[in-house]
Amino acid sequence: MKRSLSKNPNMLRTMIGTGLTLIILLSYAVYSNTVDSEYYSYTTTNDHNLMEISQESEDTAQWYYTTYSAITWVNFSVENSAPGSVLTVEAEGTNWSHSPSLGLQEQSYICNEPDSDYSKYLETCEYSRSHSIVLENGSGTLRGRVSLDLPIKGKGYLESDSIINAQDEASDLVQSAKKTITWKIKIEDEGQTASSEGILVESEYSSHELLELEKFKLNPVQETVYSFSALVGCFFLVLVIPLMIFFSAKYRENKNEVLRATIEEE
């Protein structure tokens, strides 16, 4: 290695220059995302609320409830209904999304692009005012998404040129999702409205209110460690692997020289 450097001093300068360039680029990346970031994180509540549903008429499986919040999720669960009956939920005031895979693990689906080109390969949500499921064993849960813009877990991010504009945008996002929606729940059996006797219905929804907004920041120490690890990895790929190949070839060449010398002596 020393002989190679003495014969080719440009190699050492190239190595040092490459290392310094990587350090400068990685340092700037950390700086730009910690000190001069244009991204902001906002936090909302993620309250789970039960709907205190009211029965439309006595002994009929029809209920209703009105919400006024910014909603992301709704769940409608039914027990003790007739096997094969149909649960239908209609939202007066907005369309909402539903897929049988919502809320299920290890299921692939997408809700914000119902008419996408890859809907043939990936399950997409149906976007409508009314959705239905069949209660195979007399029980089941119909899940839906209302606002697709609000963060499901209460943590979201946006890009803005100032914290004042970011605050306004986050507030407008939550306010625009607030709608007056009347949820109508109905269970039908053989095409007729079923009797409500013995049927248990539980409905819940998650609501959101803006709590706080702050400038998005990275941990400088953590990012420096990551950057240094990336730098070491780059040098490993650039230097160590080629050197291993070089020394392996050199060892094989020396071994062949010794073998040829032994044959010539014999």
Side-chain angles (χ1 to χ4, degrees), residues 17-86:
T18 302
L20 291 176
T21 301
L22 288 173
I23 292 173
I24 293 173
L25 290 175
L26 293 172
S27 299
Y28 176 75
V30 173
Y31 169 80
S32 62
N33 285 281
T34 52
V35 179
D36 194 26
S37 174
E38 293 183 351
Y39 289 89
Y40 297 84
S41 64
Y42 63 93
T43 305
T44 69
T45 59
N46 190 19
D47 298 328
H48 295 273
N49 310 278
L50 288 176
M51 297 184 185
E52 297 180 0
I53 57 177
S54 301
Q55 197 167 15
E56 288 196 4
S57 58
E58 190 176 356
D59 295 331
T60 59
Q62 289 181 295
W63 300 267
Y64 66 92
Y65 183 80
T66 302
T67 58
Y68 307 92
S69 307
I71 300 174
T72 50
W73 276 91
V74 287
N75 294 333
F76 302 92
S77 300
V78 175
E79 294 182 2
N80 300 334
S81 181
S85 56
V86 178

Side-chain angles (χ1 to χ4, degrees), residues 43 64 98 112 121 126 134 153 156 158 185 194 215-216 257:
T43 305
Y64 66 92
H98 164 70
N112 56 353
Y121 313 100
E126 180 185 351
V134 177
K153 297 183 179 180
L158 54 85
I185 307 165
K215 201 166 190 176
F216 176 72
E257 287 291 340

Side-chain angles (χ1 to χ4, degrees), residues 8-167:
N8 186 11
N10 291 329
M11 181 179 179
L12 180 60
R13 288 196 291 268
T14 301
M15 292 170 57
I16 296 175
T18 302
L20 291 176
T21 301
L22 288 173
I23 292 173
I24 293 173
L25 290 175
L26 293 172
S27 299
Y28 176 75
V30 173
Y31 169 80
S32 62
N33 285 281
T34 52
V35 179
D36 194 26
S37 174
E38 293 183 351
Y39 289 89
Y40 297 84
S41 64
Y42 63 93
T43 305
T44 69
T45 59
N46 190 19
D47 298 328
H48 295 273
N49 310 278
L50 288 176
M51 297 184 185
E52 297 180 0
I53 57 177
S54 301
Q55 197 167 15
E56 288 196 4
S57 58
E58 190 176 356
D59 295 331
T60 59
Q62 289 181 295
W63 300 267
Y64 66 92
Y65 183 80
T66 302
T67 58
Y68 307 92
S69 307
I71 300 174
T72 50
W73 276 91
V74 287
N75 294 333
F76 302 92
S77 300
V78 175
E79 294 182 2
N80 300 334
S81 181
S85 56
V86 178
L87 167 65
T88 301
V89 179
E90 180 182 357
E92 290 189 352
T94 187
N95 286 358
W96 53 299
S97 303
H98 164 70
S99 167
S101 298
L102 279 175
L104 302 180
Q105 295 182 352
E106 299 180 357
Q107 294 291 332
S108 299
Y109 60 89
I110 187 169
C111 278
N112 56 353
E113 296 183 32
D115 299 322
S116 60
D117 295 336
Y118 43 82
S119 59
K120 296 180 181 179
Y121 313 100
L122 188 66
E123 183 177 338
T124 58
C125 291
E126 180 185 351
Y127 187 63
S128 177
R129 286 182 57 184
S130 177
H131 299 284
S132 302
I133 62 169
V134 177
L135 305 173
E136 298 291 350
N137 299 314
S139 62
T141 300
L142 191 155
R143 301 178 179 89
R145 292 285 312 277
V146 183
S147 173
L148 300 177
D149 298 322
L150 291 176
I152 296 177
K153 297 183 179 180
K155 189 75 171 181
Y157 301 89
L158 54 85
E159 182 180 4
S160 185
D161 54 4
S162 69
I163 191 169
I164 297 177
N165 291 338
Q167 183 73 35

Side-chain angles (χ1 to χ4, degrees), residues 178-226:
K178 291 184 177 181
K179 299 178 181 179
T180 300
I181 306 172
T182 299
W183 301 92
K184 291 190 173 182
I185 307 165
K186 180 171 64 174
I187 299 176
E188 294 179 308
D189 185 19
E190 297 182 352
Q192 302 294 326
T193 302
S195 171
S196 62
E197 184 178 358
I199 297 179
L200 300 177
V201 179
E202 185 177 274
S203 307
E204 59 180 354
Y205 64 97
S206 60
S207 61
H208 298 258
E209 290 287 348
L210 183 63
L211 291 178
E212 61 179 0
L213 179 139
E214 60 182 2
K215 201 166 190 176
F216 176 72
K217 294 181 180 180
L218 296 174
N219 187 331
V221 177
Q222 185 181 35
E223 293 303 317
T224 301
V225 173
Y226 290 158

Side-chain angles (χ1 to χ4, degrees), residues 219-260:
N219 187 331
V221 177
Q222 185 181 35
E223 293 303 317
T224 301
V225 173
Y226 290 158
S227 300
F228 181 76
S229 301
L231 183 61
V232 172
C234 289
F235 273 106
F236 178 82
L237 293 175
V238 172
L239 296 178
V240 176
I241 294 179
L243 286 175
M244 289 175 61
I245 297 174
F246 170 77
F247 285 120
S248 176
K250 196 69 176 176
Y251 172 78
R252 185 174 181 180
E253 182 181 354
N254 293 336
K255 186 176 180 180
N256 291 336
E257 287 291 340
V258 173
L259 182 60
R260 281 196 295 269

